[in-house]
Amino acid sequence: MTDLDERIARVLRDHADGPVDTNRLMSAAVNGGRARRRRRRTVLGAALGVAVALGAGVALRTPSPAPPTPAVTPSPTVVTPPRAPGVPGAAARPDLVGTDPGLLHFGVDPAAAEVVAWRSAARVESMRLDLGGGRQAMVVLAADPEVAEIGDSSQLFEIGGGLAKASAFNGLAHRLDRVTNGWVLRWQPVPGLYARVATLGDTDAEVRRAAAALRFDETRRCVAPIRLTALPQGARITGCEVATRELAWPGVLTRAQSPTPTPMPARAVDQTTATLTVALDAKASMPVRLRYSPRPVDDRQKANRTIAGRPVFDMGDFWSVLGIPHTDLSLGHENRWQRPPTDAEVETLIGGLRVADDLGEPTTWQ
């Protein structure tokens, strides 16, 4: 078993025994907040005059010489992430998947699932979906089968499984293991495009429902609650990762009178997290991270300097930008094998930081 397998196994069995932590389950306040968000999104969608979004229904089958005929699916409201008009989707240009951190070359039917997290980075794109009823799904897309298999660390994996080859992307669903009750479905929507969907459920119905909700003839923008309006010379953004709600895979509760592990309800937290990764050059990178929660953040840090007009707690290789309520905003030199950023690079990044007015409402992150 590899180190990755051992870490995954440890996490999946982290809650193998013991009582359910009800404090970590979704509270009534969170439900109310989500309902208010949906109402605001619907009102905003009507104000913008957005009535329909087109989607392509891609059949789950082995590759064919030509893409399947797209189906038109009406979308009742504006969905997040927003559309990128004029940009071909993954069905038309699978080679573009994972090449632009500002784009996601697929979408989701909003009537079937809610997108709660999205990521675009080197060679891979992914989304986390809320299917309702405590069910969730992880979707990963890539132009390479091995990248699609390991392209996002938050997805479900086979315990002790190896990398999936192209032949594994055959449209057949199978169970991951009996403890997590997870299912995975791999297929090629079109030649040169590899899709992997993982869910939890007693049968493969949920994983197939999630796969059927995907739309490969559209492109979405990887919007984030933070923007970098200035970059150091020669630097570029290489990764965009956003979550509008933390929706963790359930733990497992083993009941004393039952020999079969029982999945615990998914833990959901109403918060926003985002990371923009900046490649300063070929030898250095810098992630810019934001975490926002409607609840007060226990911030005991005090500014020890001012950078680009902002109060900052400077630790020498980690910089926390202070003064934004309910928010942790930081930059960090995390890879010790890389050169540290220069003072000028840090000042440029902090000076170019722009934070959305409403960190809890993705429809305003335009």
Side-chain angles (χ1 to χ4, degrees), residues 50-289:
V50 179
V52 176
L54 301 180
V58 180
L60 304 181
R61 61 182 185 182
T62 53
S64 58
T69 303
V72 177
T73 304
S75 299
T77 60
V78 175
V79 294
T80 303
R83 281 184 174 275
V87 182
R93 291 292 305 275
D95 58 304
L96 295 181
V97 172
T99 61
D100 186 338
L103 296 174
L104 297 148
H105 294 85
F106 71 110
V108 176
D109 178 5
E114 179 185 2
V115 182
V116 297
W118 51 94
R119 175 176 178 252
S120 180
R123 304 176 64 200
V124 67
E125 297 172 4
S126 63
M127 288 186 185
R128 183 74 72 94
L129 310 181
D130 184 352
L131 303 176
R135 299 294 188 181
Q136 59 180 307
M138 187 70 197
V139 180
V140 180
L141 219 63
D144 179 271
E146 293 187 1
V147 174
E149 186 68 12
I150 62 171
D152 197 303
S153 59
S154 63
Q155 63 181 305
L156 286 175
F157 293 91
E158 289 93 334
I159 300 301
L163 293 178
K165 304 300 182 182
S167 59
F169 289 78
N170 54 17
L172 301 177
H174 68 275
R175 180 171 286 177
L176 296 176
D177 63 75
R178 294 184 180 277
V179 176
T180 59
N181 209 25
W183 288 81
V184 63
L185 178 65
R186 304 180 183 92
W187 79 104
Q188 284 188 258
V190 297
L193 180 64
Y194 297 87
R196 184 188 194 275
V197 179
T199 64
L200 298 172
D202 296 328
T203 70
D204 65 354
E206 296 295 337
V207 74
R208 291 192 175 278
R209 181 161 70 94
L214 303 180
R215 301 293 179 256
F216 299 105
D217 72 337
E218 62 185 48
T219 296
R220 302 277 168 177
R221 293 193 296 114
C222 190
V223 291
I226 49 176
R227 289 189 299 121
L228 296 173
T229 61
L231 296 174
Q233 185 175 1
R236 59 190 180 92
I237 297 175
T238 57
C240 169
E241 184 171 0
V242 180
T244 61
R245 187 165 76 251
E246 180 185 353
L247 193 57
W249 294 115
V252 175
L253 174 67
T254 302
R255 301 186 185 279
Q257 304 300 321
S258 174
T260 304
T262 302
M264 296 166 57
R267 175 172 57 92
V269 180
D270 198 19
Q271 67 178 25
T272 299
T273 60
T275 301
L276 297 180
T277 303
V278 179
L280 299 173
D281 55 28
K283 298 181 179 180
S285 61
M286 174 80 79
V288 181
R289 304 185 187 278

Side-chain angles (χ1 to χ4, degrees), residues 2-60:
T2 66
D3 181 63
L4 175 61
D5 292 327
E6 291 175 355
R7 294 202 307 271
I8 293 168
R10 187 169 56 254
V11 171
L12 289 174
R13 294 174 172 80
D14 200 29
H15 300 289
D17 297 288
V20 177
D21 184 359
T22 56
N23 291 329
R24 301 180 70 185
L25 304 180
M26 185 184 297
S27 65
V30 172
N31 286 328
R34 289 177 60 190
R36 288 193 294 273
R37 283 188 182 183
R38 290 193 179 96
R39 287 196 294 271
R40 289 203 304 271
R41 291 174 186 170
T42 303
V43 171
L44 179 60
L48 293 175
V50 179
V52 176
L54 301 180
V58 180
L60 304 181

Side-chain angles (χ1 to χ4, degrees), residues 291-300 324-328:
R291 182 176 66 86
Y292 162 81
S293 172
R295 294 173 295 280
V297 176
D298 184 17
D299 186 3
R300 301 176 182 177
I324 306 175
H326 305 281
T327 303
D328 288 331

